[in-house]
Amino acid sequence: MGLLKIIKSARSNRKKILFILSIILFVAVLGNFLCNKKDDPKNKIPKKAEAKNGGTLIVFHSQSPGLELIKTAVVGEIGDFVNIDAPARIVATTIPSVSSGNRVVLFESAELNEIYVSYVHAKNQLVRFRKTLNRNQDMFKHRVATEKDLVDAETDVSNGQAELAEFEGKLRAVGLNPDEIGRAPIKSAWVICDIPESQLQKLKKGKKVRLNFSSFPQEEFIGKAEALGDNIDPITRTVKVRIEIQNKDYKLKPGMFASVKFPEETMSGNVVLPFTSIVTVEGKNYVFVEREKGQFHRTEVITGISNKDVVTIVEGLSPQDRVVIQGSILLKGLSFGF
C-alpha cells in the first residue's frame, strides 16, 4: 500500500509539472508572436503627412493616409499635356438698319454700346471745336475776334481731344479699334480672345485662325487676327487679340462664345495643366511640384488662357517638372491649414 501511494503521488506531481511547463511555453510563444506582430512594418500606425516651411513643403511618409489619392505627371510628357484652344467671344457685329438702310453696330453689352456712342459724339464734337478754332483764328487775324474768343476755342479743342481719348482708351482696353469699327462693312463681326504674353512674338497680324462656336458645333469658321491688344492684363499676363470674321446670314450674334485654333507654330510650347491642378488662395494661383518622392513643394504660378478642363501656365513651371494633377485639394488643406 505504501508503494502504491508513492507511485500515485509521483504521477500527480509529473502532471502538475507538465501543466506548469505547458503554461510557460504557451506564454513564451504568445509573447514572441506579439512582439513579432508589433515589429511588422505592416502593423505600424502610418505617420500623417507633415507641413513644413510655413506650409510651402508637404512631406508624406511611407503609407501616409491620403498619399494614394495624389497623382502626378511630368510637364512636357507626350500624352499628358496638350495645346488648347483660346476661349473667345463675339463683342460686336454690324447689320443693316431697318429704318435707314445704313450700317448699325451691335455690341455684346449696353456698357460697350454706351462707350462707343460716347466716342462717336466726342469725335463729332471735336470736329466742331476745330472748325470753331479755325474760324476764330481767322477772325482774330483780321481783328474781328478777341483774344478771349481764341483762347476759349483752343481750350474747347483740348478738352474735346481729352474726352475722345478717354472713350477710345476704354474701347481699346477690351480689344476694339473704334476707327476700324466705323469703317467696317455690313456683315462684319469681331471676336476677342486672350493669349499668353509669352506668345506675342509668335503671333503676327493678319494670321488666319479657325473658330468654332458653341452655337454651331458642326461648323468651322475662318477669321483673321487683325490686331493685338494695346495693353497686357497685369493679373493673367495675357493680351487680347481681335479677330475679324465675315458674318454671313447674320447668324453670329454678340456675346456668343467660341474657341480659336491658332496655327501650331503659334501656340506650341505652352505648359498646359488640367484645371484640377490649380488651387487659388487670396487671388493667387498655386500648383504642387514633387521634387522628391513624397515631397510636394507649393509653387506660385501665373495662369493664362483656360477653359473648364485645362489651363495654360504662363510663368512658374519648367519642362520636366513633376506636377500634381490629382489631389491638389488635399495638399491645399495641408499647406494652408484649411
Side-chain angles (χ1 to χ4, degrees):
M1 293 295 294
L3 180 61
L4 184 60
K5 287 183 179 180
I6 293 173
I7 294 173
K8 287 183 178 180
S9 176
R11 287 178 178 177
S12 176
N13 290 336
R14 187 175 62 180
K15 287 182 180 180
K16 290 181 180 179
I17 293 172
L18 289 175
F19 177 74
I20 294 173
L21 290 175
S22 298
I23 292 177
I24 293 173
L25 179 62
F26 174 77
V27 171
V29 171
L30 179 61
N32 184 61
F33 173 76
L34 292 176
C35 288
N36 291 337
K37 186 175 182 181
K38 182 178 180 181
D39 293 337
D40 189 347
K42 294 182 180 179
N43 297 309
K44 288 183 178 181
I45 299 176
K47 294 182 180 180
K48 294 182 179 180
E50 298 179 90
K52 299 182 178 181
N53 301 336
T56 60
L57 173 62
I58 307 299
V59 178
F60 279 79
H61 303 282
S62 178
Q63 299 183 359
S64 290
L67 183 60
E68 71 281 0
L69 302 177
I70 299 173
K71 293 183 179 180
T72 62
V74 176
V75 171
E77 280 191 349
I78 297 176
D80 288 330
F81 300 91
V82 296
N83 292 328
I84 64 173
D85 303 335
R89 69 188 189 281
I90 299 177
V91 295
T93 62
T94 56
I95 63 172
S97 172
V98 177
S99 57
S100 63
N102 295 327
R103 192 178 57 92
V104 174
V105 182
L106 297 179
F107 292 90
E108 67 168 344
S109 67
E111 181 183 2
L112 267 181
N113 182 74
E114 184 178 349
I115 294 173
Y116 181 72
V117 170
S118 298
Y119 167 83
V120 173
H121 287 168
K123 187 176 182 179
N124 293 335
Q125 183 172 254
L126 181 58
V127 171
R128 292 195 300 270
F129 287 155
R130 283 173 174 164
K131 288 182 178 180
T132 300
L133 175 60
N134 292 335
R135 185 171 61 252
N136 282 334
Q137 287 175 334
D138 185 65
M139 293 173 65
F140 181 76
K141 183 178 179 180
H142 294 86
R143 300 181 182 279
V144 177
T146 64
E147 184 176 358
K148 181 179 182 303
D149 294 331
L150 182 59
V151 171
D152 288 345
E154 290 174 341
T155 301
D156 288 340
V157 170
S158 296
N159 291 337
Q161 290 174 333
E163 186 176 17
L164 182 64
E166 176 188 356
F167 294 121
E168 181 178 350
K170 290 180 178 180
L171 290 171
R172 286 186 175 275
V174 297
L176 292 174
N177 185 324
D179 285 338
E180 291 184 2
I181 291 177
R183 297 192 304 266
I186 296 175
K187 296 185 179 180
S188 295
W190 291 273
V191 177
I192 300 295
C193 71
D194 299 308
I195 66 166
E197 175 187 5
S198 58
Q199 300 297 329
L200 276 178
Q201 59 182 349
K202 300 178 182 179
L203 184 61
K204 297 179 180 178
K205 181 178 179 180
K207 203 81 167 178
K208 287 187 177 181
V209 298
R210 299 181 183 274
L211 300 96
N212 292 98
F213 290 90
S214 303
S215 302
F216 308 102
Q218 304 304 320
E219 294 186 56
E220 189 173 64
F221 297 79
I222 303 297
K224 182 177 67 174
E226 64 175 14
L228 303 178
D230 298 306
N231 61 320
I232 294 175
D233 191 305
I235 298 176
T236 63
R237 308 305 302 174
T238 58
V239 64
K240 296 186 181 299
V241 176
R242 183 173 69 254
I243 299 166
E244 185 176 4
I245 186 174
Q246 289 297 307
N247 188 11
K248 298 179 180 179
D249 303 324
Y250 306 108
K251 62 182 181 180
L252 299 178
K253 312 296 182 183
M256 281 185 174
F257 287 99
S259 62
V260 180
K261 296 180 180 179
F262 287 90
E264 291 183 3
E265 67 272 15
T266 299
M267 299 302 292
S268 62
N270 286 343
V271 175
V272 181
L273 299 176
F275 204 83
T276 53
S277 303
I278 307 296
V279 296
T280 302
V281 177
E282 296 181 354
K284 294 183 178 181
N285 296 312
Y286 302 90
V287 299
F288 291 92
V289 179
E290 186 180 28
R291 295 177 184 166
E292 295 182 22
K293 187 65 174 178
Q295 297 187 13
F296 302 95
H297 295 258
R298 187 179 75 203
T299 304
E300 184 177 356
V301 295
I302 297 177
T303 60
I305 54 178
S306 62
N307 57 34
K308 64 180 181 179
D309 299 316
V310 289
V311 58
T312 303
I313 305 301
V314 179
E315 293 181 15
L317 293 178
S318 302
Q320 303 309 311
D321 280 345
R322 180 171 288 278
V323 181
V324 174
I325 60 173
Q326 184 175 317
S328 297
I329 295 300
L330 170 61
L331 294 175
K332 176 183 178 180
L334 293 170
S335 179
F336 293 96
F338 294 162

